[in-house]
Amino acid sequence: MRFLLLFLLLETVGFALVVGQYRYHHSVLHSVAGDMFYSISSTLNGWTRFFSLTSENERLMRENAQLRELMSVDDKHDELLIPYVKTTTNSGVPYSYIPARVVKNSTRMLKNYIVLNRGAKDGVKVDDAVVTDSSVVGMIVDVSQHFSVCRSILHTDSYVSARFMGNDYHGSVVWNGKDRERVAMQDVSRVASIAVGDTVITDSRSSLLPEGLMVGTVESFSVPESDFYDITLRLNEDYEAIHNVYIIRYAHRDELKQMLEYGKEDR
Amino acid sequence: MERKIGKAIVVGVMIMVLQIAVLDNIAIWGYATPYIYVLLLFLLPYSTSMGWLLLEGFLIGLVIDVFLSTGGLNAMACTLVVYVRNHLVTHLLGVPEKELDTFSPLLSTDVKPVAMMVVFMLLVLMHHIVLYSMEAMSIYLLPGALLHAVINTVITSVCSIIVVVLIAPNKRRRL
């Protein structure tokens, strides 16, 4: 009986810790063990990065080429640029970029977080977006002095507004926790014409993400009884293998957010 | 005797380090991770009183949780495993309660290896069910979590048996 009580007590403590994990990015990031862990992780990552240098170099070179192209911008060239660069230059929207490296990355949990090696000291703030050179990665949810935690798109609570590149039909992208290479796109009206292989990009309705970041391509879809499609997207990025990312912030974010909130209280 | 205890502790720490530094980075089919540290819970001395056993199990899980940043998932799972372990050993393996003090899975000659393996897999399954269902924490995601637990049980068991073959005393190489 005594032992049953002790057992229940320990399970309760464990459960409390699990519930705390829903705010886990706080507890981990700010604990001493967390700090120690990330410095060990940083070193280990240094070694693993060495082995992926070739592919990372290639990727950065590709990006460099695109940026050079951008510098010599004329209208014809503009067409060739990857969508998000195009959006940012055409509309002249000011985004600030902070390059960052992945310290720790998980893709196997249901709630995946990515720890980055930039923190408050580098100007990172909560709700900043995290992207690779062309794809959306996630959103910053917590910041410490030297590190920040990004909630990956592979997180069952993640929610990204997206639309098709070809037309303006939009929906929201969510992850069902099953397959790290695929996500579901919901709330796409059945009047939309879509085809397998269509590209899905981020939508301007999001106040946090710039428009035009690649999310994935349509792999399959069905038309159920309801008014909305069931769409499966194949992600553009292999999130297991990301190393270099950018933390970006829309300069007028807070202002836009305020405007988007407008009138909500009246409802 | 003291040397034996020392060796057991070294092996235990090695398994924990292996779990945290290496195995956590393994995802077979992008999905299954071997949790061989559950083996430690099965091997913890059977002479320990239940109270200490529960604390030891909880602490082992907590250490894993701190390093893998999983809140208290492993602590919960481990506490359950050590709580039911002795009951399973006495009831399913037929070890009399009086002899439990001297029982050791790696040395025992009275129990069939296959039976030992089945009990171990049961413990692993319980550990994984707690781990994955608590992680999912929703009815909607529960079926997936249970499937994950079952698949992972196979992976963990196979890896653990390999480890046992490596660490078991030479005389009797079995679980």
Side-chain angles (χ1 to χ4, degrees), chain B residues 51-73:
Chain B
W52 281 112
L53 200 59
L54 283 171
L55 285 176
E56 283 170 16
F58 182 78
L59 279 181
I60 288 178
L62 198 62
V63 169
I64 296 282
D65 278 331
V66 166
F67 279 96
L68 304 190
S69 34
T70 43
L73 291 174

Side-chain angles (χ1 to χ4, degrees), chain A residues 208-266:
Chain A
L208 304 177
L209 286 166
E211 187 181 4
L213 283 167
M214 178 100 170
V215 178
T217 50
V218 176
E219 189 175 72
S220 63
F221 62 89
S222 60
V223 194
E225 293 296 302
S226 67
D227 288 338
F228 300 105
Y229 278 110
D230 260 352
I231 305 177
T232 305
L233 302 181
R234 191 175 185 85
L235 287 166
N236 182 43
E237 195 74 43
D238 178 4
Y239 288 97
E240 180 91 339
I242 51 173
H243 286 289
N244 294 309
V245 295
Y246 297 100
I247 300 168
I248 60 179
R249 185 184 318 132
Y250 177 46
H252 309 310
R253 184 183 70 195
D254 295 339
E255 195 181 326
L256 175 62
K257 232 175 163 179
Q258 215 177 342
M259 290 295 119
L260 289 174
E261 296 281 307
Y262 191 79
K264 268 195 184 163
E265 293 116 38
D266 297 349

Side-chain angles (χ1 to χ4, degrees), chain A residues 174-200:
Chain A
V174 291
W175 189 52
N176 60 13
K178 281 183 191 139
D179 183 345
R180 65 157 200 253
E181 285 169 356
R182 288 173 188 82
V183 288
M185 190 166 176
Q186 300 174 337
D187 306 337
V188 177
S189 160
R190 64 189 297 176
V191 298
S193 63
I194 59 175
V196 170
D198 278 359
T199 304
V200 173

Side-chain angles (χ1 to χ4, degrees), chain A residues 132-186:
Chain A
T132 63
D133 56 339
S134 60
S135 307
V136 53
V137 175
M139 210 72 76
I140 298 288
V141 287
D142 196 27
V143 178
S144 75
Q145 202 59 18
H146 299 97
F147 297 99
S148 52
V149 177
C150 158
R151 185 177 65 201
S152 163
I153 196 171
L154 300 181
H155 185 299
T156 46
D157 297 341
S158 273
Y159 183 95
V160 176
S161 350
R163 68 171 173 87
F164 292 95
M165 194 147 92
N167 55 45
D168 274 340
Y169 288 107
H170 53 73
S172 36
V173 171
V174 291
W175 189 52
N176 60 13
K178 281 183 191 139
D179 183 345
R180 65 157 200 253
E181 285 169 356
R182 288 173 188 82
V183 288
M185 190 166 176
Q186 300 174 337

Side-chain angles (χ1 to χ4, degrees), chain B residues 12-77:
Chain B
V13 171
M14 268 168 58
I15 287 181
M16 296 285 273
V17 171
L18 185 71
Q19 182 70 54
I20 293 161
V22 182
L23 295 178
D24 183 53
N25 296 312
I26 293 176
I28 299 164
W29 312 305
Y31 192 65
T33 306
Y35 285 99
I36 61 156
Y37 86 97
V38 180
L39 189 61
L40 287 182
L41 305 173
F42 186 51
L43 296 180
L44 280 176
Y46 284 75
S47 49
T48 320
S49 79
M50 190 42 121
W52 281 112
L53 200 59
L54 283 171
L55 285 176
E56 283 170 16
F58 182 78
L59 279 181
I60 288 178
L62 198 62
V63 169
I64 296 282
D65 278 331
V66 166
F67 279 96
L68 304 190
S69 34
T70 43
L73 291 174
N74 285 286
M76 284 186 84

